[in-house]
Amino acid sequence: MPRIPLTPPRTLLMRIGSWYSRRTYGKVLDPGSAYGHNSRVLYTYLSLERRAAKWNRLDPGLKHLAVMAAAARVNCSWCLDFGHWEGRRQGMPAEKIAHVPRWRENRRFFTRPEQLVMEYAEAVTATEPEVTDELAAELLTLLGEAALVELTAIVALENWRSRVNSAFGLTSQGFSDSCDLPAAS
């Protein structure tokens, strides 16, 4: 049960956001409804998300695994549900996505770079962060400076998402369920 009502005031921003959300995702996203109780916070958050979506120095698959690993570390069920759907939309195998929360026990599904990225995402997410010089140096060599900056920033953004969604009590919205439906002929 959400800790904040998902029925925000019907401001112009909420009406536009709800229309866009239904058009893009098939439903209004619960986090947007929660943020809708404060238009300035909603606007700032949407602006950040819109700009972050344009970051392109890190491989999209690695970025997605980092986001999922951070969400799993925070234990945000809403984020994991949406992340499963988003990963499938990007063409990532469902089996790989399903193993992200316990990737260390399922290393065979992940390449060495993927494992390093998920390890880094968990280390950044830890309170207090547990990033080692060795891990950062290995990723810097593997990814380069611009991609490492992007990786760090996207993990921090996912921490924002996951921690806010968890604090609001948001849980699965059924996105991963739709991944199991057979494709239309």
Side-chain angles (χ1 to χ4, degrees):
M1 180 80 155
R3 295 182 181 109
I4 188 165
L6 299 178
T7 53
R10 293 205 28 88
T11 62
L12 178 60
L13 181 59
M14 269 311 298
R15 290 194 311 269
I16 292 169
S18 295
W19 169 83
Y20 176 81
S21 185
R22 277 192 294 279
R23 194 182 107 214
T24 305
Y25 306 108
K27 58 182 98 175
V28 177
L29 302 181
D30 288 349
S33 294
Y35 281 120
H37 292 282
N38 186 319
S39 291
R40 287 183 181 206
V41 173
L42 175 61
Y43 181 79
T44 301
Y45 175 72
L46 292 176
S47 179
L48 175 59
E49 286 285 2
R50 193 180 83 237
R51 286 181 172 97
K54 295 177 184 177
W55 298 344
N56 63 1
R57 300 301 295 269
L58 180 62
D59 173 82
L62 292 176
K63 186 182 300 189
H64 187 71
L65 291 173
V67 165
M68 290 287 293
R73 180 73 183 249
V74 173
N75 198 26
C76 176
S77 63
W78 193 94
C79 300
L80 290 170
D81 175 52
F82 186 79
H84 185 95
W85 176 83
E86 182 68 22
R88 294 295 296 139
R89 196 171 88 157
Q90 291 177 13
M92 192 172 283
E95 188 171 58
K96 180 177 268 198
I97 297 166
H99 288 296
V100 170
R102 299 183 58 82
W103 68 269
R104 290 176 192 279
E105 292 85 19
N106 297 286
R107 290 180 187 268
R108 71 183 184 282
F109 291 100
F110 303 100
T111 65
R112 178 71 177 144
E114 290 170 340
Q115 292 174 29
L116 287 171
V117 163
M118 290 186 291
E119 180 180 352
Y120 186 77
E122 289 179 349
V124 170
T125 301
T127 304
E128 70 190 49
E130 300 168 350
V131 177
T132 64
D133 291 342
E134 295 78 19
L135 178 57
E138 192 169 356
L139 281 166
L140 184 61
T141 301
L142 179 70
L143 301 174
E145 294 168 350
L148 182 59
V149 168
E150 186 171 321
L151 171 61
T152 305
I154 200 67
V155 170
L157 179 56
E158 182 54 36
N159 269 265
W160 176 353
R161 295 171 186 143
S162 292
R163 291 175 189 278
V164 167
N165 292 345
S166 293
F168 285 156
L170 303 180
T171 58
S172 172
Q173 217 175 322
F175 282 98
S176 59
D177 297 340
S178 65
C179 296
D180 298 330
L181 300 175
S185 344

